[in-house]
Amino acid sequence: MRTQVGIIGAGPAGLMLSHLLYLQGIDSIILECRTREEIEGTIRAGVLEQGTVNLLNAMGASERMMREAHFHHGIELRFNGEGHRINMHELTGGKKVTVYAQHEVLKDLIALRLETGGQMIFNAGDVSLHDLDTASPKIRFRKEQDGELQEISCDYIAGCDGFHGPSRPSIPAEIRKEYQKIYPYGWLGILIEAPPSSPELIYANHERGFALVSTRSPEIQRLYIQVDPKDDIANWSDDRIWTELHARLSTKDGWKLIEGPIFQKGIVAMRSYVCESMQYGRLFLAGDAAHIVPPTGAKGLNLAAADVYVLARSLDAFYKSGKIELLESYSTNCLRHIWKSERFSWFMTSMLHPNHEHTPFERRMQLAELNFATSSRAAMTTLAEEYVDGSLVGQFTESGRNVLV
Ligand code: RFL
Ligand code: PHB
């Protein structure tokens, strides 16, 4: 088999890249180790930046999203029993965040790729990368996990295979520089059947730990609480989860959390991670394969979108006019927006999670940070700009402009 760009991974990065390339007349094959059903059923992100939504619009991938998503003009930061609204719409000149589940974005992208003749191989086994420092890199894999070994020759390979995929380890260790911070917190996330308790997201810092109120639809809500990342979900009965949520979200004015049956729960650990460089020979990493952010800033999927937008434009410049400068500077061009969002995600995580190792002074500093973030117009504007459009997709994809030309 042969293609121009071999893409490993059918997450947001791989699927968006494949469709962006298609729109530019560049062919690609996606190899994915999971089944389509698994991908379309995995619960992850919920918040999309304005720029990501503009990009999905320009790609023709947003019809259902624009009908079913929720558009929020602000968020609430809650601490000391009081809520403080940040009016992001007003502070950013009319931008908003879109709440639409990641697996719904993936369903829309897969359907679009199928409609437009995209080649996607799901359930692929033993995916490996070869000859990356030659003009003809190759991907080997098995169809249906245990089938015969097959090979795809490509001009370029895009490693969009998330944090645990084979692409990043294919870059020789002596060339990779890794930056990492592992946090002493995890998030226990639940999905419940209930109406929304709040019209906008609530990020709460309580001395018992962080809590987040998010949504998926008028009938389904998404809630998180800070837990020990090594904790076992079996230790968390529904009653214990509700007790913590009520305590951490309680306010002096008696705000009420609406309960409902919990139908999904799980714990994720939190880390910040960047791999420099994001390229080696003819391999380019994009999305979680190259970097991870803790979810507090709601940036991971948005960063993946920014990376593949830069990569698609760089590949387009090469195929249309033989220019390789953009490809050569891909990693440098991406790292600018990546480190910006790494900082924001680290800042939000540090401000919102109480830590049992904090000294009383450090706890006071955290509350002072929250007071500042919710009372100074300059601080609120900074937070709003970063939250609504921080990963720089927006810089490339201003509303109303055809971003694909
Ligand atoms: P993904 O989504 O991990 O996709 C990688 C794909 O590669 C496949 N793969 C392989 N394929 C072939 N061969 C192999 N050997 C392979 N190994 C792996 C995998 O099966 C998978 O399909 O990476 P991508 O595309 O870079 O997308 C990144 C995003 O998924 C991630 O950053 C976000 O989910 C992060 N995130 C959030 N991001 C936001 O922008 N807004 C949010 O509100 C938000 N909330 C979240 C989040 C992540 C969370 N968790 C679960 C960590 C909330 C949570 C709780
Ligand atoms: C979500 O709805 O899953 C969500 C919302 C905001 C975040 C992270 C996750 O910061």
Side-chain angles (χ1 to χ4, degrees):
M1 273 188 258
R2 211 205 109 70
T3 189
Q4 288 174 301
V5 182
I7 300 176
I8 308 179
L15 286 164
M16 286 180 87
L17 177 64
S18 170
H19 197 64
L20 283 168
L21 293 178
Y22 161 77
L23 293 169
Q24 288 159 334
I26 301 166
D27 65 76
S28 66
I29 299 178
I30 300 184
L31 277 175
E32 164 61 52
C33 65
R34 293 186 298 158
T35 62
R36 180 176 172 189
E37 292 67 39
E38 280 176 89
I39 291 173
E40 293 186 343
T42 305
I43 308 299
R44 284 184 91 171
V47 174
L48 306 179
E49 290 182 9
Q50 179 78 62
T52 304
V53 170
N54 293 348
L55 182 58
L56 289 166
N57 269 327
M59 290 167 66
S62 63
E63 197 223 329
R64 191 166 67 98
M65 177 176 77
M66 297 318 273
R67 257 187 292 121
E68 295 181 9
H70 301 262
F71 302 98
H72 290 187
H73 286 190
I75 57 168
E76 182 183 318
L77 296 184
R78 191 173 281 188
F79 56 99
N80 285 341
E82 277 171 19
H84 304 260
R85 180 165 191 258
I86 303 206
N87 185 339
M88 297 184 301
H89 193 252
E90 192 235 328
L91 291 163
T92 60
K95 291 182 184 174
K96 49 192 182 290
V97 288
T98 300
V99 185
Y100 188 63
Q102 173 164 335
H103 66 284
E104 302 296 347
V105 175
L106 296 184
K107 281 185 203 166
D108 296 344
L109 286 167
I110 291 172
L112 189 61
R113 284 287 45 223
L114 288 173
E115 260 170 48
T116 46
Q119 259 189 286
M120 289 175 284
I121 301 172
F122 293 104
N123 205 17
D126 293 344
V127 174
S128 60
L129 297 80
H130 305 269
D131 304 333
L132 299 175
D133 52 357
T134 72
S136 179
K138 293 169 191 74
I139 310 174
R140 298 204 184 110
F141 69 102
R142 291 180 201 280
K143 252 191 183 167
E144 302 295 331
Q145 296 289 344
D146 51 0
E148 292 228 324
L149 206 55
Q150 314 216 13
E151 186 172 274
I152 307 178
S153 308
C154 328
D155 297 336
Y156 292 99
I157 296 177
C160 302
D161 44 359
F163 191 65
H164 302 287
S167 295
R168 191 178 64 254
S170 302
I171 302 180
E174 61 279 13
I175 289 176
R176 266 185 280 140
K177 190 149 175 51
E178 300 181 292
Y179 300 85
Q180 171 157 267
K181 177 174 172 66
I182 300 196
Y183 298 86
Y185 347 103
W187 277 14
L188 186 161
I190 58 170
L191 282 171
I192 64 164
E193 240 172 80
S197 296
S198 160
E200 291 174 344
L201 269 60
I202 303 170
Y203 290 81
N205 177 328
H206 186 274
E207 58 203 15
R208 295 172 74 111
F210 169 77
L212 169 61
V213 177
S214 181
T215 185
R216 286 293 179 269
S217 72
E219 299 82 29
I220 308 285
Q221 310 312 316
R222 180 76 165 147
L223 302 162
Y224 296 96
I225 47 173
Q226 173 187 345
V227 296
D228 181 331
K230 292 185 214 80
D231 207 342
D232 187 339
I233 194 70
N235 294 329
W236 286 88
S237 66
D238 291 3
D239 277 354
R240 186 174 172 208
I241 294 172
W242 286 118
T243 304
E244 281 306 315
L245 278 165
H246 283 294
R248 296 180 191 192
L249 290 161
S250 62
T251 59
K252 290 176 190 153
D253 63 6
W255 180 86
K256 283 271 173 298
L257 173 66
I258 304 173
E259 288 192 20
I262 298 177
F263 62 90
Q264 210 256 5
K265 53 179 161 180
I267 294 177
V268 291
M270 316 238 290
R271 78 167 86 214
S272 298
Y273 172 91
V274 179
C275 171
E276 291 188 4
S277 162
M278 294 167 60
Q279 64 194 90
Y280 169 68
R282 294 212 165 204
L283 168 67
F284 298 91
L285 303 179
D288 279 13
H291 42 78
I292 295 286
V293 285
T296 331
K299 286 284 163 272
L301 187 157
N302 296 292
L303 279 177
D307 289 356
V308 297
Y309 181 71
V310 174
L311 184 54
R313 297 214 72 140
S314 309
L315 287 164
D316 188 48
F318 169 73
Y319 282 111
K320 290 244 166 69
S321 48
K323 284 194 188 134
I324 57 157
E325 290 79 4
L326 284 179
L327 279 174
E328 283 175 345
S329 54
Y330 165 73
S331 180
T332 311
N333 293 341
C334 286
L335 284 165
R336 208 164 50 92
H337 66 248
I338 290 161
W339 278 114
K340 185 169 178 287
S341 292
E342 288 284 346
R343 187 209 70 83
F344 179 67
S345 304
W346 162 84
F347 159 75
M348 287 287 278
T349 303
S350 311
M351 179 169 73
L352 286 162
H353 294 74
N355 179 344
H356 61 272
E357 286 166 14
H358 277 162
T359 61
F361 178 81
E362 285 166 326
R363 175 70 184 145
R364 284 278 180 243
M365 284 296 100
Q366 200 174 47
L367 293 171
E369 188 78 73
L370 279 160
N371 268 316
F372 180 56
T374 50
S375 56
S376 148
R377 189 170 172 92
M380 285 191 286
T381 307
T382 308
L383 195 148
E385 279 177 3
E386 293 278 357
Y387 190 90
V388 172
D389 228 358
S391 76
L392 294 192
V393 202
Q395 183 176 302
F396 311 127
T397 62
E398 277 152 36
S399 183
R401 203 175 95 208
N402 183 353
V403 298
L404 301 175
V405 292

